[in-house]
Amino acid sequence: MKIDITQSQKVIITVATTGGLHGKEANPDLPEQPEEIIRAMKDAYDAGASVAHIHVRDKAGLTTSDLAVYHEVMQGIVETCPGMITQVGNGIGVRFENGRQMPGVTFPQEDRMALLDIKPRPDMLTVNAGTFHFQHKHTEVLFDNPKGWNAEFIRGCNARGIHNELECYDISHIENMIKLRDIGVITGKMHFSLVLGIDGGISASPKNLLALVDAIPEGSSWQVVTIGKHQTPLSMMALAMGANIRVGFEDNVYIDHGVLAGNNAQFVERAVRMSRELGREIATPAEARAMMGMDAEHSRT
């Protein structure tokens, strides 16, 4: 994809408030319960975030696939954040049944496929674009995302009018999505998330970001997702390249070196400042929908 550093398109900010891995042991202010997640999304929305990237937890604070919990969180975001784009993470996360110092387990593909039936219906569901070994502290799992399964999932999204965000953890994952586009599974504008810094995926470096962007088809929209200490410098680089960005506790719990963030909105506020320093204003939810080739807010029944 060709990059024009002189363009000044508005920036779409996604906030990932919770994630499916670490919890309050990493940052006591990380939102886990539905009311906490909804409040965090509202604060981020007020600060300038247009997209809500959603993972949920059960009463014990463990990552869950329970559609009733998704329903509660989705309903709360729809009611408190008018027009905000709702985006549910298809990987769900890792469940630490025996404590976070012991290996956790991933969710079966039938639980992940069941996300198609979340009510209210989300605007977007993510697609994890390739299979790889994912490691987080004491846990290493095979994150199984074959093209055939992804094709079935995307067709289910198409049938329900749900858009997809294509999460790519390596260059081969971009090729996987291009192949699904070429056979007609993916239709319309492609939305890529380039994830750098996950243990098992591509490492976070300027060289790797440039390589990933070079592999994206022309006409796509894209954002960068970077982990921990890499988040701010690579986000600034991506903004200068015309990208959108994702921030939030899923990707980073520190607002500065050794300083825990007090809330997700702090990350959004910094993203707004960074964007404006580069002469780029922030897209409203309505503008973000238009930029991503999405319809106006749809019926969620």
Side-chain angles (χ1 to χ4, degrees), residues 231-269:
Q231 186 176 72
T232 300
L234 282 186
S235 293
M236 182 63 86
M237 177 179 169
L239 285 169
M241 296 165 65
N244 304 303
I245 58 173
R246 188 177 97 175
V247 297
F249 279 4
E250 177 172 356
D251 306 324
N252 189 9
V253 297
Y254 291 94
I255 194 65
D256 203 351
H257 182 69
V259 180
L260 289 171
N263 53 62
N264 280 276
Q266 286 180 269
F267 292 108
V268 178
E269 290 162 357

Side-chain angles (χ1 to χ4, degrees), residues 13-15 44-45 47-49 247 264-273:
I13 299 175
T14 297
V15 63
Y45 170 85
V247 297
N264 280 276
Q266 286 180 269
F267 292 108
V268 178
E269 290 162 357
R270 181 165 65 188
V272 170
R273 293 195 301 271

Side-chain angles (χ1 to χ4, degrees), residues 63-91:
T63 305
T64 183
S65 59
D66 187 343
L67 295 189
V69 184
Y70 280 103
H71 168 81
E72 185 176 354
V73 170
M74 279 285 303
Q75 190 66 41
I77 295 170
V78 169
E79 291 174 355
T80 61
C81 307
M84 194 176 197
I85 297 168
T86 51
Q87 179 189 94
V88 173
N90 167 262

